[in-house]
Amino acid sequence: MRYGHGGGLSAGERERRERLRLQAVELFAQGVSPAEVARRFRITRMSASRWHRAWQQGGTQALASKGPGGEKCRLDERRLARLAAELERGPAAHGWEEDQRWTLARVSDLIATLFHIRYTPRGVSYLLHRVGWSPQVPVHRAVERDEEVIERWVAEQWPRIKSDRG
């Protein structure tokens, strides 16, 4: 199953989180305890304590955003687009005919075949999220599925059935 957005914090979410940390710094400077900061901002005490410790050791700059985390993706935009297109073709198009589910291992094998780059299952999971796929809820489609027949049925038969009900 597809869904709309990849994993990790967006730039806007990172900015919001950084603003929150900087507001916490102002409170720490006024003598407010990490426990009270946690309560006010509705964050865990552990996070507030970590922020307080970082601020004490490195000042305000220690709580500035460091940008997106993780390694740089080894697939450029052109390769990501090709991977997405190959995933859309389904597992059967790549030799897995016994069931129509993409697994992390299969996607890893596909990437290795297409681009001669090996990803771990966890790396594949991040990559799938980045291109808008959810490995937790795979699409399950019959090998015999005929999209044209389905579209024709929805266009011709469904309106008739729907009007007969009312």
Side-chain angles (χ1 to χ4, degrees):
M1 174 173 284
R2 306 259 339 227
Y3 69 100
H5 123 26
L9 293 178
S10 70
E13 290 166 329
R14 275 193 310 277
E15 287 175 23
R16 186 188 69 74
R17 191 73 170 172
E18 181 179 34
R19 278 194 307 275
L20 196 64
R21 288 192 304 266
L22 297 179
Q23 289 171 358
V25 163
E26 291 175 16
L27 294 175
F28 294 148
Q30 296 169 18
V32 176
S33 72
E36 178 60 18
V37 167
R39 188 191 66 72
R40 288 186 192 183
F41 292 157
R42 295 185 176 152
I43 61 172
T44 66
R45 284 183 176 213
M46 189 164 68
S47 289
S49 293
R50 190 171 47 247
W51 295 355
H52 186 254
R53 217 172 17 260
W55 171 69
Q56 286 179 318
Q57 293 171 357
T60 303
Q61 194 57 34
L63 293 173
S65 175
K66 293 168 183 59
E71 287 185 37
K72 185 177 186 293
C73 184
R74 293 179 285 166
L75 300 180
D76 59 19
E77 292 304 317
R78 183 179 55 79
R79 286 179 167 181
L80 286 172
R82 180 168 177 215
L83 175 61
E86 295 299 329
L87 291 170
E88 287 287 348
R89 290 180 56 211
H94 298 283
W96 292 288
E97 295 177 2
E98 64 280 358
D99 92 42
Q100 291 299 292
R101 297 174 195 219
W102 281 116
T103 64
L104 296 177
R106 286 179 179 182
V107 176
S108 179
D109 289 346
L110 178 64
I111 292 168
T113 299
L114 294 173
F115 310 117
H116 308 290
I117 296 171
R118 192 45 90 167
Y119 273 84
T120 65
R122 185 174 188 157
V124 170
S125 178
Y126 289 134
L127 192 61
L128 287 172
H129 279 88
R130 182 170 177 200
V131 297
W133 281 66
S134 168
Q136 291 82 16
V137 186
V139 173
H140 184 79
R141 292 185 176 163
V143 176
E144 306 84 17
R145 184 180 171 106
D146 187 333
E147 295 296 331
E148 289 178 19
V149 170
I150 293 169
E151 286 177 26
R152 194 167 46 250
W153 184 91
V154 169
E156 297 170 5
Q157 300 297 322
W158 179 242
R160 183 181 57 74
I161 293 167
K162 196 169 151 182
S163 67
D164 289 348
R165 293 173 63 198

